[in-house]
Amino acid sequence: MFTGKLEEKIDILYYIDPICPTCWGMEPHMKKFILSYGHLFNIHYKMGGLLPYWEKYSSVLISRPLDIANDWDSKSTDYQMPIDGDLWREDPLDSSYPPSIAFKAIEMQSMEKSVLYLRKIREMVFTKKMNINKWKHLFSAAKEVGCDLEQFKKDYDGKAREIFYQDIEKAKLKGIKIFPTIIMSNDLGHSVNLKGYNTFEILEQELMKIYFKTKKKYYNQEGISLFEKQSSLTTKEFADLKNIGIDDAEAILHRFENNLTLDRKV
């Protein structure tokens, strides 16, 4: 008698870009998805290379920094996430390649630290108006996550660039032009492809199509427990993880701040 093979683990290719506002806007949903189902899958972060330089940026129908500034301001409202478009009015980036390569350099040392690093450089660019093309910011973030700084610089100038360009080439071969793009696949060869902004509910629904015995994992939502394994949370992220509204989340976070339990960064 033969029985079908049950898939043991899901692989997720997560194509993003460090300066993609939609990728950042989807973070509350991705955090909840990872906390709920991360025990079932391996996630691999792939850099997209959204902005090589201004001459090519017309390919995504945006040709001036002011256009991006207005787009970011609009997306901040749409996603209820802090996204400050003034960066593009005051100190516009000319590429997303440097932070992407820096992420790959950290990833070569530690997957865990690379995720922390990605969070820090995203906070820099979206909430603090910091131009993360500049080496001083990339280096500062690397120092904060506790990586080997000498090795970081060596890999940034060498191997990490090769790995980054491999990500771009593989994305082209897969026809990926929209960020974020999520490709979930199982051991049986089944896969689903999600493009652009997707909610937790959609991520959950699509996962269940290829992992038939999906079981959600409990995570502690009480008090400030959500911050125990998170370096930081936006109000929207906190609200989604606790399954409450933005106003309620804001009130709770204010109480924690007033009690000196939490610090507000921005």
Side-chain angles (χ1 to χ4, degrees):
M1 182 171 65
F2 296 89
T3 59
K5 176 187 175 185
L6 290 177
E7 54 273 52
E8 297 176 355
K9 199 81 170 179
I10 300 294
D11 270 322
I12 295 181
L13 300 181
Y14 188 28
Y15 285 88
I16 61 172
D17 191 280
I19 68 168
C20 166
T22 302
C23 301
W24 174 244
M26 203 170 119
E27 269 298 279
H29 303 288
M30 281 302 296
K31 279 188 177 295
K32 187 174 182 179
F33 184 58
I34 291 170
L35 283 173
S36 299
Y37 296 108
H39 58 294
L40 301 178
F41 57 73
N42 295 312
I43 186 166
H44 310 278
Y45 292 84
K46 304 294 182 180
M47 296 292 105
L50 179 65
L51 177 57
Y53 46 83
W54 278 110
E55 287 77 4
K56 288 188 177 180
Y57 205 58
S58 58
S59 65
V60 288
L61 306 179
I62 298 177
S63 59
R64 298 180 303 141
L66 182 59
D67 293 331
I68 301 182
N70 295 332
D71 181 62
W72 276 29
D73 290 339
S74 175
K75 281 185 168 58
S76 180
T77 301
D78 293 342
Y79 301 143
Q80 297 180 299
M81 284 284 279
I83 305 174
D84 196 334
D86 282 343
L87 168 67
W88 295 95
R89 300 179 180 98
E90 300 169 7
D91 189 13
L93 292 82
D94 58 8
S95 174
S96 65
Y97 281 26
S100 299
I101 295 168
F103 169 82
K104 288 297 174 181
I106 300 292
E107 189 179 52
M108 290 174 67
Q109 293 190 35
S110 164
M111 176 62 74
E112 183 179 353
K113 289 181 180 179
S114 71
V115 174
L116 293 174
Y117 185 79
L118 180 61
R119 177 72 184 196
K120 287 191 176 297
I121 59 175
R122 283 165 134 186
E123 288 178 352
M124 285 178 170
V125 72
F126 290 117
T127 73
K128 300 177 183 178
K129 300 188 296 182
M130 297 168 72
N131 186 330
I132 55 173
N133 274 348
K134 297 178 179 179
W135 175 250
K136 64 179 181 180
H137 298 319
L138 297 177
F139 186 83
S140 173
K143 188 175 182 179
E144 285 188 52
V145 300
C147 73
D148 182 324
L149 297 177
E150 184 176 342
Q151 188 64 44
F152 169 63
K153 180 64 167 66
K154 180 180 178 181
D155 291 334
Y156 177 85
D157 291 331
K159 186 65 176 178
R161 291 175 182 269
E162 297 177 26
I163 297 174
F164 167 62
Y165 284 114
Q166 288 172 9
D167 277 3
I168 292 179
E169 289 306 312
K170 289 177 181 178
K172 288 179 180 178
L173 290 174
K174 293 178 182 293
I176 295 172
K177 298 180 180 179
I178 296 174
F179 303 105
T181 287
I182 296 175
I183 302 174
M184 304 184 201
S185 58
N186 64 21
D187 292 341
L188 302 179
H190 302 136
S191 67
V192 294
N193 192 324
L194 299 173
K195 298 179 180 180
Y197 184 89
N198 285 279
T199 64
F200 167 77
E201 289 74 20
I202 293 175
L203 294 169
E204 182 181 51
Q205 173 184 312
E206 294 301 313
L207 177 66
M208 290 180 178
K209 289 181 179 179
I210 59 173
Y211 201 104
F212 311 111
K213 293 193 174 182
T214 299
K215 186 176 181 180
K216 186 182 293 187
K217 183 179 180 181
Y218 168 80
Y219 61 89
N220 192 351
Q221 302 176 25
E222 300 303 319
I224 61 168
S225 58
L226 286 171
F227 287 88
E228 291 176 0
K229 294 185 178 181
Q230 308 289 335
S231 58
S232 64
L233 289 171
T234 65
T235 303
K236 172 64 173 173
E237 289 172 326
F238 185 74
D240 280 17
L241 291 176
K242 285 185 72 69
N243 299 306
I244 60 177
I246 285 284
D247 291 341
D248 290 338
E250 188 69 39
I252 293 172
L253 291 171
H254 272 310
R255 288 202 296 272
F256 288 150
E257 185 182 10
N258 291 336
N259 293 335
L260 303 181
T261 309
L262 294 175
D263 291 325
R264 182 183 292 267
K265 290 186 177 181
V266 291

